[in-house]
């Protein structure tokens, strides 16, 4: 038996009391992610390589029946026309799902199936976004303030970041357009083979 736990979320600061882990990502950690590499390098220099997102989480263990949960806070901003985003991943056990719960700000969850289909879920305060098993997912800040979301996923999920590297990014990029956003094809995208898709869609224990 585990002891019950309570953590307090600050929905604007994007902090969570009682966290057992915290990490930060700086703009330079996202090298190779944005379409405009020159604009990325210039921004790293002009802004002195700022922290662009931070995560505080509580991990009770690595048992399949436990939940890891926490808070992600992401700065607003753009590299050229491309909005600030997280690295993105698929769960190492790809059939593990995730829930995101919007706290403040305005964001998108970009999801991509193993076959390469894109879905976009808009997230504002009080939105619950369900990321079903097998979907690659990345969050994007399309607003002018910090985007803060609570998340929870099975403790044995793990994160596989290499899937996005292997395909040279996700199939689409989210770019600013007028007052909003638009999906643009990622011209470097390298689709997964049938064998690679089949290897992902298997039964995990
Ligand atoms: O792990 P990434 O892709 O850098 O993005 C961070 C987000 O994903 C998570 O790893 C959860 O899956 C959280 O820590 C956070 O919401
Ligand atoms: Fe995840």
């Amino acid at each position: 038996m585990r002891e019950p736990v309570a953590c307090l979320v600050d929905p604007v600061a994007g902090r969570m009391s009682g966290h057992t882990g915290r990490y930060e990502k700086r703009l330079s950690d996202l090298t190779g992610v944005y379409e405009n590499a020159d604009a990325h390098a210039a921004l790293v220099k002009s802004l002195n390589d700022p922290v662009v997102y931070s995560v505080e989480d509580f991990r009770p263990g690595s048992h399949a029946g436990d939940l890891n949960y926490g808070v992600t806070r992401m700065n607003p901003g753009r590299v050229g026309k491309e909005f600030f985003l997280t690295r993105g991943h698929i769960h190492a056990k790809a059939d593990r799902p995730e829930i995101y719960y919007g706290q403040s700000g305005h964001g998108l969850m970009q999801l991509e199936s193993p076959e390469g289909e894109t879905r976009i879920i808009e997230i504002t305060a009080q939105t619950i976004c369900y990321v079903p098993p097998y979907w690659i997912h990345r969050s994007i800040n399309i607003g002018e303030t910090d985007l803060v979301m609570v998340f929870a996923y099975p403790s044995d999920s793990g994160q596989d970041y290499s899937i996005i590297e292997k395909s040279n990014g996700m199939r689409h990029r989210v770019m600013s357009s007028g007052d909003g956003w638009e999906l643009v094809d990622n011209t470097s995208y390298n689709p997964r083979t049938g064998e690679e898709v089949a290897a992902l869609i298997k039964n995990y224990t």
Side-chain angles (χ1 to χ4, degrees):
M1 297 288 286
R2 294 195 188 284
E3 282 301 311
V5 176
C7 295
L8 267 185
V9 172
D10 182 326
V12 176
R15 307 294 305 256
M16 185 181 79
S17 74
H19 58 270
T20 57
R22 173 180 168 85
Y23 68 83
E24 294 178 338
K25 289 289 164 198
R26 293 183 177 273
L27 194 54
S28 62
D29 295 322
L30 297 159
T31 300
V33 169
Y34 291 99
E35 181 173 55
N36 190 334
D38 291 342
H40 176 261
L43 202 61
V44 167
K45 212 168 170 187
S46 66
L47 296 181
N48 199 21
D49 198 13
V51 170
V52 283
Y53 66 92
S54 55
V55 177
E56 292 184 350
D57 64 7
F58 179 85
R59 299 188 181 211
S62 55
H63 183 258
D66 275 327
L67 287 174
N68 291 357
Y69 63 87
V71 177
T72 303
R73 183 210 56 78
M74 193 184 341
N75 292 44
R78 289 190 326 229
V79 174
K81 290 183 73 181
E82 199 170 357
F83 291 107
F84 278 7
L85 40 69
T86 60
R87 291 170 291 175
H89 57 259
I90 193 168
H91 291 152
K93 293 192 177 189
D95 68 346
R96 301 309 197 249
E98 185 157 355
I99 289 280
Y100 286 83
Y101 180 31
Q103 303 291 296
S104 60
H106 190 189
L108 301 178
M109 188 64 64
Q110 181 179 355
L111 302 107
E112 181 176 305
S113 68
E115 293 89 347
E117 291 223 6
T118 298
R119 301 283 187 274
I120 300 289
I121 302 285
E122 196 163 349
I123 299 180
T124 53
Q126 310 301 315
T127 304
I128 294 179
C129 168
Y130 176 53
V131 177
Y134 302 111
W135 288 83
I136 300 162
H137 47 285
R138 148 181 292 165
S139 35
I140 299 166
N141 189 349
I142 61 167
E144 280 161 18
T145 60
D146 280 6
L147 172 66
V148 177
M149 296 178 300
V150 163
F151 61 84
Y153 58 92
S155 294
D156 68 338
S157 303
Q159 283 92 11
D160 175 357
Y161 295 97
S162 69
I163 192 164
I164 293 182
E165 286 161 27
K166 282 186 205 145
S167 55
N168 293 325
M170 295 178 78
R171 181 180 283 274
H172 294 105
R173 295 183 180 280
V174 177
M175 306 293 221
S176 70
S177 170
D179 284 346
W181 56 275
E182 63 177 348
L183 277 187
V184 173
D185 281 340
N186 169 8
T187 52
S188 309
Y189 184 73
N190 177 30
R192 283 166 288 279
T193 64
E195 290 78 41
E196 287 169 332
V197 170
L200 286 169
I201 310 287
K202 62 169 191 170
N203 287 322
Y204 297 81
T205 52

